[in-house]
Amino acid sequence: MDATSTVFYEAGGPLHMLVVNPAAHANVQATEALAIQAGWEADVVSGASVAVVDAPGASSDVDAITSATKLNDFRNVFQGGASLRGDNTRIQAGYAYGFESDYRSNGLSVTAAAELFDRNTTLEIGYGRGWDSVCDLEQPQAEKAVERQRMSTSEGCFQKDKGRTEHTIDLHSLSGSWTQAWTPIFNTQWSVSSQLVSGFQSNPYRAVWLGRAAAQEHHPNERARYGTSLSARIWLRPIGGALQLSARAYRDTWDVRSASGEIAYERGFGSLVRLRVRGRYYQQSGAAFYSDDYALMPRGQYFTGDRELSPLNDWQAGARLELTPDVVGPERPLSLLDTLHFVLKADIARYKFESFHYGNAEVPNRRSIFATVSVDATF
């Protein structure tokens, strides 16, 4: 079993976000071939965000940033599954149910893998199916998207006669990978993924300034995503560690295109300590319907206040430390355990938004920190 806690903190002026993600997972080896998994995780969210995204130069009596809306939420996800392993094959299936004040999710996943050519080649394919529901403000009189108002609170969600309605979201995900060990010191992995999303994909709490009034942001109901990545790992004997290089390309039907590259170095210090450091760069274009000023530069029938759909880039740097203390086994302090493993991880990210503003102000919360502590033990 393992227990993990991850903290995400994004800061900058009055806008900030804190997410604490505790998780626990258990794996029981029922037979030599069959394993059963169960798990739980949560997201405890608190922070402040802009409710109405103004265009640069928009006439507003209230500054969008200083009047940021506070938010708090608590999300739970329960999951379970089973895996069946043969000499050179593995099949795994799982189900997850998540819920929070304004969102419900159901997810089913199936993966299959095979090892070929003396286990130097591994092929894996996976499929995921999701059925989600998101809460929104009931507005039967708003016939056009530009007439819809944002939802100010989740109060009344998933309850009858509370002025709320539900939208459905259907997800289909397909992925595949090929991992190849070319030599004892060099291996590569190529992976592809795709996802089809159908349903309500806007943020019901966010509105966009359209010139004379603000309306709840309006995204297309259909989105197809495609991505591919290639990574390589080589052992460098002179420096006693492994160099890892990876690159990823992505595009979707909203015309968001992105590319990222990462370099990492990993080495062990005896059998007890392993250290990995990494650096990553990410660049993306904006969605076809993105504009920083919809009053002057509309983009058809859709409009968004999501900064993640604007052109942006970011740098990340981090380190991961794995500890395997020599306290397990017969005649040891923790003799009941077979293995004990700790992971400490931290990453720092810096974002740059090329054409996204809150009124006349640039995005202030452009820095974030990820930190993870994990304990893994087997009995």
Side-chain angles (χ1 to χ4, degrees), residues 53-64 209-212 292-297 356-362:
V53 179
D54 288 344
S59 58
S60 175
D61 296 332
V62 182
D63 184 87
W209 182 256
L210 301 178
R212 295 184 177 181
D292 197 31
D293 189 340
Y294 284 98
L296 297 179
M297 295 179 291
F356 184 91
H357 301 82
Y358 293 119
N360 292 316
E362 294 186 354

Side-chain angles (χ1 to χ4, degrees), residues 43-124:
D43 288 321
V44 184
V45 182
S46 63
S49 65
V50 172
V52 179
V53 179
D54 288 344
S59 58
S60 175
D61 296 332
V62 182
D63 184 87
I65 295 178
T66 57
S67 60
T69 300
K70 294 184 179 180
L71 59 94
N72 294 278
D73 211 341
F74 182 60
R75 174 175 178 261
N76 284 278
V77 178
F78 294 92
Q79 51 195 324
S83 59
L84 190 64
R85 180 179 292 275
D87 291 338
N88 297 291
T89 59
R90 172 176 52 85
I91 299 176
Q92 184 171 351
Y95 168 77
Y97 173 66
F99 59 93
E100 53 192 296
S101 62
D102 55 10
Y103 205 93
R104 300 285 187 269
S105 65
N106 295 270
L108 179 66
S109 62
V110 180
T111 60
E115 297 174 328
L116 310 172
F117 309 117
D118 294 327
R119 298 188 174 180
N120 289 318
T121 301
T122 302
L123 301 177
E124 181 173 313

